[in-house]
Structures are given as structure tokens and as C-alpha cells.
Amino acid sequence: MMELTQKQWVRHAVTHPVEGFEDMRWKKAGSLKIALIVIVLLFFGQIAYGRLYGFQFYISYDKTFNIVPYIVRSFVLFGAWVIGNWSVCTLLDGEGTLRNICVYSAYALIPYVVQLYLNVILSHFLIRDEYVFMQIIELIGVGWTAILLFSAIKSVHQYSFKKTVLAVVLTLAAMFIMLFLLVLFMSLIQQIFIFISTVYTELSYRAKV
């Protein structure tokens, strides 16, 4: 079987959606460092897409910059996907490790990340009548990533087509549950903080009186 560098494995996995991840699995290839770089690029790509998009295509009405939504759309969603898939596929006798799920899923996101940056750049050169070209690029990037992600899960766990579909559906359900619980937890923390702040303010006021 082929001997490739880590960078060459990235290109092989992205350009060969059917056998790319399968080859990676058998050669035990894949770099956690490169996977992290992809997620960081996704984070900055989301920011660029939301803040630097050409004004003729998108106008941001946000007066202040809030980094939290971009963290959620990149690091949090990706982490929820990896943990959710690992949890679900552990019950479904999947063979993938947490590390491999993370690496393969990050590699699968590369077309989506590329289209983010490409469309941001094109938004400053194209006119509104040429927006269809940007839509095509976005469609290709999202569709390509969806195919790669499905192939990655199928290969890393050695599932059949039907079982992979089931795993993806259950993973999305697990993500929804985790994010819902995270929102509840953050809301609880906020309420506790408000309560403590109120008590402190009241005690400080009484102490001065």
C-alpha cells in the first residue's frame, strides 16, 4: 500500500472520498495537529464569512463584535459531533477511536472551509448578477464535505451503508441533546451569577447605610 506524508494523506483523503479514509485507516495515518489546524481555520473562516463578506452581498447589522457565536459554530459544534459520534458508535460496536473520529471528521471539513475563504474573496470582486457562481462554490463545498464526512464515519467504524446512516442520525440527535444541556447549564450559571451579584450589591448597600 502507498507510503505518503501527512500532507499527502490530507490530499488523498479529500480527493478520494470512497477509498481515501479506508486507506488512512489501514495505514494508521492522520495527524491530530493538522486536524486542529483545520478547525482553527474553520473558526477564522466563520469570522471572515460573517464580518468580511462583500457589502454588496451581505450587510452585517451587528454594532459590536461577539466572538461567542463563531466559537459555537466551529469548536463547539465540531466537539459535539466528535463526542456524540464516539458515544453513539461505542454502543453500535464501532471500531473508531476518539482520536480517529476527530482527525477524519476534520479532514472531511476541508472543502467546506475552502469555500468559506474562496467566497469571501470572490464577494469583493464579483457583482450581484454573478452571485450564482458563489452559490455553486458553496454548494460544491457543502456537498463534498457531506460526502467525505459520511465516508469518514463509514470507514473509521467499518460500518455498512445503512448502519452509517443510522450512526449519523443518532449522532445528530446526540449533538442536539448535548447542546440543549449546555444551554441549560449556561443559563443556570448565569442565574447563579446574577443571584450572587444581587446579594453582594444588597449587602454592600446595607453595609454603607
Side-chain angles (χ1 to χ4, degrees):
M1 191 175 289
M2 64 188 76
E3 294 292 339
L4 303 175
T5 64
Q6 293 294 353
K7 293 181 180 179
Q8 289 174 329
W9 274 116
V10 174
R11 184 171 65 249
H12 179 69
V14 173
T15 56
H16 297 79
V18 178
E19 72 275 6
F21 291 108
E22 194 67 34
D23 293 338
M24 283 182 59
R25 179 180 178 275
W26 287 111
K27 293 295 291 184
K28 294 180 172 56
S31 169
L32 199 58
K33 180 180 178 180
I34 294 178
L36 179 60
I37 292 174
V38 173
I39 303 306
V40 171
L41 289 174
L42 172 64
F43 169 67
F44 286 109
Q46 294 283 4
I47 295 177
Y49 193 87
R51 309 297 300 185
L52 302 178
Y53 215 72
F55 67 90
Q56 66 269 39
F57 298 104
Y58 173 74
I59 299 177
S60 175
Y61 295 98
D62 298 333
K63 300 301 181 181
T64 58
F65 175 71
N66 186 2
I67 199 173
V68 175
Y70 302 106
I71 294 177
V72 172
R73 294 174 198 167
S74 53
F75 295 106
V76 174
L77 282 180
F78 181 78
W81 166 267
V82 172
I83 296 174
N85 184 258
W86 176 77
S87 302
V88 167
C89 292
T90 298
L91 301 176
L92 296 177
D93 299 323
E95 298 182 12
T97 63
L98 193 63
R99 178 189 181 279
N100 285 346
I101 296 171
C102 178
V103 172
Y104 290 20
S105 297
Y107 283 16
L109 289 175
I110 290 177
Y112 177 78
V113 175
V114 171
Q115 69 85 21
L116 284 177
Y117 288 96
L118 190 56
N119 272 339
V120 169
I121 295 173
L122 290 177
S123 69
H124 294 278
F125 294 96
L126 300 182
I127 61 177
R128 292 185 65 88
D129 292 339
E130 297 171 328
Y131 182 59
V132 63
F133 297 108
M134 297 166 63
Q135 289 180 312
I136 292 174
I137 292 174
E138 183 177 3
L139 182 62
I140 292 174
V142 173
W144 196 351
T145 284
I147 294 173
L148 289 176
L149 202 55
F150 185 86
S151 178
I153 297 305
K154 184 176 183 296
S155 298
V156 75
H157 294 296
Q158 291 296 284
Y159 283 162
S160 63
F161 181 86
K162 291 183 179 180
K163 198 168 185 179
T164 304
V165 172
L166 176 63
V168 170
V169 172
L170 293 178
T171 298
L172 294 175
M175 288 177 63
F176 176 80
I177 294 173
M178 284 189 292
L179 292 175
F180 178 73
L181 293 176
L182 178 61
V183 170
L184 289 181
F185 177 75
M186 294 301 295
S187 177
L188 177 62
I189 294 297
Q190 184 180 26
Q191 293 299 322
I192 293 175
F193 176 79
I194 293 175
F195 173 75
I196 294 175
S197 177
T198 302
V199 172
Y200 174 78
T201 302
E202 183 68 21
L203 292 176
S204 299
Y205 174 75
R206 291 182 178 276
K208 293 179 181 180
V209 174

